């Protein structure tokens, strides 16, 4: 069943989908979005501890953990099944990101994170410029682009591999909205060139 407001998956997915309709660009994002999340959690390991609790393997409840909880909770609210998987993947990224950060230390971790981000962001911008021929969604809605990107590529992968839909008719309704958005964008772009 469709939700409204902040938890309207159709709205979020159709916004993001309008910027990611080219199959090559979608594939590029599938390769690079989760590594960006993972490496972000690596560097967030070095943020201050929010709650002092004794956890195994040098895990700390810091901003990385807070962002993980926010992302996971938001994804579950959007769709319980795929959101639970996305939330689990977020927590796995947090655990392994923390483990890697602890073993690398800050002086090396920030260099690894910087290199990974430069590589992954460059790939995505190439995907938009060369294949999508449209600016990235983050230029129009930064928050939604960062928050939705990992869930978007996971839903795309689930749909491609298993035909998954959060509810019957989801992909047909989203495709209609994406097509309308792209048509509107092309018309406004054409008017600007006249």
């Amino acid at each position: 069943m469709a939700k409204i407001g902040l938890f309207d998956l159709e709205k979020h997915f159709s916004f993001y989908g309008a910027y990611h309709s080219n199959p090559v660009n979608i594939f590029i994002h599938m390769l690079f979005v989760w590594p960006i999340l993972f490496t972000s959690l690596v560097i967030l390991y070095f943020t201050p501890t929010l709650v002092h609790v004794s956890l195994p393997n040098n895990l700390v409840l810091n901003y990385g953990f807070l962002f993980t909880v926010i992302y996971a909770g938001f994804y579950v609210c959007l769709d319980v099944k795929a959101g639970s998987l996305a939330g689990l993947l977020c927590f796995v990224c947090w655990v392994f990101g923390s483990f890697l950060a602890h073993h690398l230390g800050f002086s090396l971790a920030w260099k690894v994170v910087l290199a990974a981000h430069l590589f992954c962001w460059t790939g995505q911008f190439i995907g938009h410029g060369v294949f999508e021929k449209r600016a990235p969604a983050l230029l129009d809605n930064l928050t939604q682009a960062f928050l939705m990107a990992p869930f978007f590529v996971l839903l795309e992968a689930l749909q491609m591999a298993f035909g998954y839909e959060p509810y019957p008719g989801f992909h047909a309704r989203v495709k209609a909205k994406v097509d309308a958005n792209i048509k509107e964008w092309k018309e406004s772009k054409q008017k600007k060139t006249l």
Side-chain angles (χ1 to χ4, degrees):
M1 179 54 68
K3 298 176 184 178
I4 59 171
L6 179 62
F7 302 109
D8 183 349
L9 182 58
E10 269 185 39
K11 181 180 120 193
H12 290 301
F13 203 76
S14 60
F15 168 82
Y16 201 84
Y19 292 83
H20 304 88
S21 60
N22 178 279
V24 175
N25 191 35
I26 291 171
F27 178 72
I28 288 169
H29 280 67
M30 286 180 169
L31 289 177
F32 294 139
V33 165
W34 281 90
I36 288 172
L37 176 67
F38 175 78
T39 54
S40 296
L41 292 171
V42 169
I43 205 65
L44 286 172
Y45 174 81
F46 300 101
T47 60
T49 301
L50 299 173
V51 179
H52 293 280
V53 178
S54 179
L55 295 172
N57 298 320
N58 298 304
L59 293 174
V60 290
L61 302 182
N62 54 18
Y63 286 101
F65 176 77
L66 179 63
F67 281 115
T68 299
V69 169
I70 290 169
Y71 272 58
F74 184 65
Y75 295 157
V76 170
C77 288
L78 289 172
D79 177 49
V80 174
K81 290 178 185 173
S84 296
L85 177 58
L88 176 65
L89 290 173
C90 286
F91 277 100
V92 168
C93 286
W94 173 69
V95 168
F96 284 102
S98 296
F99 177 79
L100 180 63
H102 177 75
H103 288 286
L104 290 178
F106 181 76
S107 62
L108 181 57
W110 78 266
K111 295 171 189 167
V112 170
V113 169
L114 178 63
H117 276 246
L118 287 173
F119 181 75
C120 292
W121 283 108
T122 300
Q124 289 185 86
F125 282 116
I126 289 169
H128 280 283
V130 175
F131 300 103
E132 195 73 44
K133 302 199 185 319
R134 184 172 187 182
L138 64 89
L139 297 180
D140 288 336
N141 189 328
L142 187 65
T143 305
Q144 188 179 31
F146 279 108
L147 189 58
M148 285 304 299
F151 196 53
F152 175 80
V153 298
L154 178 64
L155 274 178
E156 282 285 332
L158 291 173
Q159 195 277 326
M160 286 178 190
F162 307 108
Y164 178 78
E165 286 193 303
Y167 48 85
F170 173 80
H171 286 288
R173 287 199 288 274
V174 167
K175 181 167 178 10
K177 290 178 182 180
V178 167
D179 291 344
N181 183 307
I182 292 171
K183 182 181 177 190
E184 181 182 317
W185 171 73
K186 285 181 179 178
E187 288 171 355
S188 70
K189 186 178 168 186
Q190 190 174 29
K191 286 179 185 176
K192 289 178 183 177
T193 59
L194 295 178

